[in-house]
Amino acid sequence: MSRKVLVVDDEKLIVKGIRFNLEQDGMEVDCAYDGEEAVEKAKENKYDIILLDLMLPKMDGLEVCQQIREFSNVPIVMLTAKGEDMDKILGLDYGADDYITKPFSVEELLARLRVMQRRIALLKSDSEINEKSVYTNGRLKIDYAAGCAYIEDAELKLTPIEYKLLCLLAQNTGKVLTHKYITQKIWGSAWDSNVASLRVFMATLRKKLEDENASVAYIQTHVGIGYRMLKVDAKE
């Protein structure tokens, strides 16, 4: 299935190369060369995936990611040349779904995008399976048909990966899910980079769930093993 991708990088030769290879793989590609242009194009068009460089003129990739998250849950893959873990973690914390370190091979980029496409398909299939279901746990509610989660009546601003993680935990409430099981379900593989990303996503998801009521813990960490969704009393 054809996908529409926005490639954002100020190095035009890199953009040209990425565009050529994505189009060869059957994708429709738009390009942006600075942060402001990226935000505008994301507002004006519907993309399946955004490839977003960290270092950009006018507005850096982190700020672009944060602004896009205010109006869209489109999957975002951060491109970083630094290769420093802190940059990757910051990107995920600002709402990115994955990252890839430059320089990267065409094969690696296409493999990551295929994984992202499978992830999107899984999100859609989960919504179809649960289209008439509403999950409740304490003050937490997940409306599968709408693809939204709430603490009481306040909607949680979740990235696609955070929402997928929340649904996976909710559907297995009370069970400990291992790192390997979760990464296979979410990323389609158990790469070390995915396990590292999982820890960041779980931390941001837990913060969003528990900010409204710090006395209630929904997610329990089992060190070295994985995570579990706790059953919360309806009064809490």
Side-chain angles (χ1 to χ4, degrees):
M1 181 184 296
S2 178
R3 295 288 178 184
K4 188 170 184 178
V5 182
L6 175 63
V7 180
V8 186
D9 197 311
D10 63 326
E11 297 184 56
K12 294 190 176 181
L13 284 176
I14 290 178
V15 172
K16 184 178 180 180
I18 293 175
R19 180 174 191 167
F20 173 80
N21 285 288
L22 295 187
E23 289 179 339
Q24 288 293 106
D25 204 55
M27 301 184 193
E28 182 181 348
V29 182
D30 280 351
C31 304
Y33 302 99
D34 62 59
E36 291 180 358
E37 184 182 12
V39 173
E40 286 305 309
K41 287 200 170 185
K43 287 180 179 178
E44 295 170 359
N45 300 278
K46 184 176 177 61
Y47 295 105
D48 295 292
I49 299 170
I50 295 178
L51 297 178
L52 177 62
D53 190 45
L54 181 66
M55 304 301 293
L56 293 168
K58 297 186 179 179
M59 188 188 306
D60 69 29
L62 296 179
E63 189 174 354
V64 171
C65 187
Q66 191 174 36
Q67 288 202 21
I68 290 175
R69 280 289 168 257
E70 292 178 0
F71 60 85
S72 173
N73 281 331
V74 57
I76 297 174
V77 179
M78 298 292 295
L79 308 177
T80 172
K82 293 185 177 181
E84 297 177 357
D85 288 341
M86 185 53 65
D87 287 325
K88 297 169 185 175
I89 288 170
L90 280 172
L92 297 176
D93 200 29
Y94 273 70
D97 296 278
D98 202 356
Y99 62 84
I100 184 169
T101 303
K102 296 192 289 186
F104 48 80
S105 67
V106 173
E107 291 77 13
E108 181 183 3
L109 175 61
L110 292 177
R112 291 292 186 95
L113 294 185
R114 290 188 188 105
V115 168
M116 187 71 71
Q117 288 175 13
R118 289 198 297 271
R119 196 181 307 167
I120 294 167
L122 282 171
L123 281 168
K124 290 181 178 178
S125 64
D126 282 352
S127 295
E128 291 168 359
I129 291 169
N130 299 290
E131 61 181 0
K132 295 182 180 179
S133 301
V134 174
Y135 169 89
T136 57
N137 183 13
R139 300 185 180 189
L140 171 65
K141 180 177 76 172
I142 305 173
D143 185 336
Y144 293 114
C148 299
Y150 307 84
I151 293 292
E152 301 229 312
D153 294 325
E155 182 177 349
L156 298 171
K157 293 184 178 179
L158 303 178
T159 68
I161 293 300
E162 290 169 346
Y163 178 74
K164 178 70 176 174
L165 281 169
L166 181 61
C167 290
L168 182 62
L169 290 167
Q171 290 161 4
N172 294 275
T173 300
K175 297 179 182 178
V176 178
L177 304 183
T178 65
H179 297 132
K180 182 177 181 180
Y181 178 84
I182 297 172
T183 55
Q184 286 284 359
K185 286 287 187 180
I186 303 300
W187 281 273
S189 71
W191 295 340
D192 288 344
S193 61
N194 289 339
V195 175
S197 299
L198 173 62
R199 294 192 179 97
V200 178
F201 280 119
M202 292 304 295
T204 57
L205 176 58
R206 179 184 278 117
K207 182 178 179 182
K208 291 177 182 181
L209 286 173
E210 298 171 6
D211 270 356
E212 297 292 329
N213 188 346
S215 65
V216 177
Y218 286 96
I219 300 173
Q220 184 178 63
T221 300
H222 291 256
V223 179
I225 300 173
Y227 302 91
R228 175 172 61 151
M229 172 70 76
L230 299 173
K231 183 62 180 175
V232 176
D233 189 284
K235 296 179 181 179
E236 294 186 288

